[in-house]
Amino acid sequence: MTPTPHRPRVTSIPNLLGLARIAATPVVIALLLLPFDGAGLLAFVIFCAAALTDWLDGKVARARGEVSPLGVFMDLTADKVLVAGVLVVMVEVGLLPTWIVATILIRELVIAGVRQFAAADNVVIAARALGKSKTLTTLVAMAILLLAFDAETGGPLAGLEIEATLTTVGYWLMVVATILTVVSAVDYLRGAVPMLLGRTGD
């Protein structure tokens, strides 16, 4: 007898982790826009916990046999909401220049459009190694900049006199992430060209 496949549920553990990542985004944003002593460190902890769910939800979904189109959508949406939301606020509070954030967001919009085009033809384009490296570098850089924000706004790290170091390391890591963003987009689009032109195979 063929087992009945799991129906996708919003309340599955992997999807709840994705929802938690979305819910964490406005909290981090509020901590940056309405800072108090220690707000940066708290934002760092929440951001890191939310970023960790990105790795955890996929692992849990595969272990429980709950991989589904809904889960994939939830995972991708939660990732973009967290990163895009916090990046925009980092421009507002002076942690990042506009050109870096604009480059990253434009890349995400273009790739999202390609994925949507592919999905219309029931084609799934897997994440590439460069894209994964870009994501990891971006998240690490953002986390470091949140620590720099804590030092800058009189939080627990202020007395350590490491604000300049954290800011410099976070900024240049974000520059590296931006370069990876552009290179990975080119790599991604090169692989998608046959599909975009209707040449999916002989």
Side-chain angles (χ1 to χ4, degrees):
M1 182 176 178
T2 303
T4 303
H6 291 289
R7 295 185 61 185
R9 296 178 297 113
V10 175
T11 56
S12 68
I13 292 177
N15 289 340
L16 288 176
L17 288 171
L19 289 172
R21 195 148 71 251
I22 293 174
T25 304
V27 177
V28 176
I29 289 174
L31 289 169
L32 292 176
L33 292 178
L34 303 169
F36 51 86
D37 290 354
L41 189 58
L42 182 56
F44 166 81
V45 172
I46 295 173
F47 178 80
C48 288
L52 182 62
T53 65
D54 182 23
W55 168 80
L56 189 59
D57 59 7
K59 188 176 180 66
V60 171
R62 289 187 293 272
R64 294 169 60 92
E66 294 180 342
V67 177
S68 67
L70 174 61
V72 173
F73 168 78
M74 187 74 70
D75 182 43
L76 290 174
T77 300
D79 293 347
K80 306 314 177 192
V81 168
L82 177 65
V83 173
V86 177
L87 281 178
V88 169
V89 178
M90 283 184 167
V91 174
E92 175 70 18
V93 299
L95 288 173
L96 284 173
T98 303
W99 70 268
I100 284 182
V101 175
T103 300
I104 292 173
L105 294 185
I106 289 171
R107 183 265 189 196
E108 296 302 334
L109 289 171
V110 171
I111 299 306
V114 173
R115 280 195 173 124
Q116 185 175 11
F117 184 91
D121 288 336
N122 295 317
V123 175
V124 176
I125 303 178
R128 294 171 178 261
L130 275 172
K132 293 178 180 179
S133 298
K134 177 268 303 179
T135 299
L136 179 60
T137 306
T138 301
L139 292 174
V140 171
M142 292 172 70
I144 291 173
L145 288 172
L146 289 175
L147 292 178
F149 183 79
D150 182 76
E152 178 184 320
T153 55
L157 299 181
L160 301 180
E161 298 182 355
I162 56 175
E163 175 191 342
T165 300
L166 289 172
T167 300
T168 300
V169 172
Y171 172 80
W172 285 107
L173 265 180
M174 191 58 75
V175 170
V176 172
T178 305
I179 294 171
L180 288 173
T181 292
V182 174
V183 174
S184 66
V186 172
D187 179 61
Y188 194 100
L189 291 172
R190 184 186 297 123
V193 162
M195 177 202 67
L196 294 173
L197 297 179
R199 299 198 302 265
T200 57
D202 296 330

